[in-house]
Amino acid sequence: RARRILPALYLVVFSSIAFSWMLMSSGMMWDFWQSVISVPLFVSNILFTLEGGYFEIATNIKPLIHVWSLSVEEQFYLLFPIFLIFLIFLLKFNRQKIILILACITIISLLIAHFNQYISLSFLPLNHTLLRLDSFGWSSFYMPFGRAWELLVGSLIAFKIPISNNKTYHQIMAFTGFMAIILSMMLLDSDIDSPSLYNLIPVIGTVLVIVFSTNNKGIGKLLSTKPITIIGLLSYSLYLWHQPVFA
């Protein structure tokens, strides 16, 4: 996973440094260097939590604002295996109990993500610039406790919980998942609280596609065609480059 993520990421970071050096004012460069330093430490999400919301106007000119999600990923990759090993030994390889605990944590994380959007931090001393948070919801947006459920859902899939072998049922579920993903593209925007229960639409849709689609029929066959797989192969690089280019 690191071999896929890091080389392309560092290429984008070094390219952004070159262009920022030429185009940014000294004040902007100070903020930019903080984001650069946060990248290899995988703490970009923490830095941007302290700076404010993702959809604010000021974020349009931050070349590396989007790498917060990679920090969440890396934090998960580092901590989750240790936690899972601990669970395995604590529960003496009891598969059902491990799945149950992970499912409970997933639900708790989802509830935190949703209800943090409605908790105010007005009681905190926010005069100090390093402690300035517009709302607790933004820390939910950037931080692992509001995002863990999205990653844990994928971990639960890996346990391969038994499902029906009916092929027609599989095709229906895969199509439903695909349509849920398309629907999320149409409905979810910066006016929708995120993360929240709304995020269940693309997440459940993705789960259904992963679990029920096969590459020789229906949605799985569509997603296995060459034009779509080319987009898939390019998607990570496009994700990395879009924000620096726009900024």
Side-chain angles (χ1 to χ4, degrees), residues 39-53:
V39 170
L41 299 176
F42 304 125
V43 293
S44 297
N45 57 325
I46 298 174
L47 172 67
F48 295 129
T49 296
L50 297 174
E51 291 184 350

Side-chain angles (χ1 to χ4, degrees), residues 162-215:
I163 55 176
S164 169
N165 291 322
N166 187 298
K167 293 182 179 180
T168 301
Y169 174 75
H170 280 223
Q171 294 305 313
I172 292 173
M173 296 305 289
F175 179 77
T176 301
F178 182 73
M179 294 309 297
I181 295 171
I182 299 299
L183 180 65
S184 70
M185 294 179 186
M186 299 168 61
L187 294 180
L188 304 185
D189 56 27
S190 60
D191 294 325
I192 300 293
D193 289 333
S194 181
S196 67
L197 293 177
Y198 291 109
N199 292 70
L200 281 170
I201 301 172
V203 172
I204 291 178
T206 305
V207 167
L208 294 178
V209 170
I210 292 172
V211 171
F212 292 103
S213 63
T214 56
N215 60 7

Side-chain angles (χ1 to χ4, degrees), residues 12 26 34 84 105 187 229:
V12 169
S26 57
Q34 291 183 76
L84 190 57
I105 296 173
L187 294 180
T229 54

